[in-house]
Amino acid sequence: MNVFLEAYDYVNANSDRFLEAVKVHLSISFYALLIAFVVCVPLGILCAKKEWLTGPIMGLFNSLRVIPSLAVLVIILPIMGTGFAPALVALTLLACPPILINTYMGFRGIEPAIIEAASGLGMGEKMIMRKIELPLAAPLLLSGLKTAAVEVIASATLAAFIGGGGLGTFIINGLGMYKFSLLLVGALPVALLAILSEIGFAGIERAVTKYQRV
């Protein structure tokens, strides 16, 4: 129990440093997710519609999934050095596979008869995408985004290894100094952020797919 009280006292005494670390942690996680979303959603849709692209692109991103985040950071280190940017690249690579694969599966799983029926009603490609395909693929797409968000928030702690900052700094310092209270200053907020992210995206997913449950 004492370690929790010590962690609480540390946060009170170093609130500016703690809030700055939370801000960096959230910033790096948000930008990694945003870049992965902007790149992988169109790419997933393209793979679902152009079968010849599926093999090479999905194979490439599937292979990225097996590389540990720390290994990605180490590989990027000699190329980009230390700081925020290489950590952002590593986390973006981590966020890409679940978003890409779920987007692909969401669009690929739509029955061709539904598209044909919409086309028969006079809908153009853009309208079919907006009114039919996107709503039907939304549950899987959001599920991929939720998985990516939790993975990125948890893995952003590794950014501290290459000077990216964030809550991982407290964890590394706590481990180095064998000081569990300092370790908790970083670990507890990360766990809380990951849980809140899971709950938040689950709520969005539930709201977006409300019409499918009626």
Side-chain angles (χ1 to χ4, degrees), residues 66-156:
V66 302
I67 305 174
S69 308
L70 191 56
V72 174
L73 286 172
V74 172
I75 293 167
I76 289 175
L77 192 60
I79 303 166
M80 297 186 69
T82 59
F84 188 92
L88 179 62
V89 171
L91 290 173
T92 303
L93 289 176
L94 179 71
C96 280
I99 296 175
L100 176 71
I101 292 167
N102 279 42
T103 303
Y104 168 78
M105 289 171 66
F107 278 83
R108 194 71 182 165
I110 299 170
E111 291 289 336
I114 297 174
I115 307 297
E116 286 172 17
S119 185
L121 289 170
M123 288 187 179
E125 281 188 17
K126 287 182 181 174
M127 187 176 282
I128 290 174
M129 171 64 74
R130 199 173 64 251
K131 299 278 188 182
I132 307 291
E133 292 180 295
L134 206 50
L136 287 175
L140 271 174
L141 199 157
L142 285 169
S143 177
L145 197 55
K146 181 173 66 178
T147 304
V150 173
E151 286 182 4
V152 165
I153 288 172
S155 299

Side-chain angles (χ1 to χ4, degrees), residues 2-23:
N2 283 340
V3 288
F4 289 99
L5 290 174
E6 285 174 17
Y8 179 73
D9 289 340
Y10 181 89
V11 171
N12 274 337
N14 301 274
S15 56
D16 289 346
R17 192 181 167 208
F18 176 74
L19 290 175
E20 179 62 26
V22 172
K23 186 181 166 187

Side-chain angles (χ1 to χ4, degrees), residues 20-22 24-25 28 83-84 87 156-170 172:
E20 179 62 26
V22 172
V24 171
H25 200 95
I28 198 168
F84 188 92
T157 52
L158 298 175
F161 279 105
I162 57 169
L167 292 165
T169 307
F170 298 116
I172 291 171

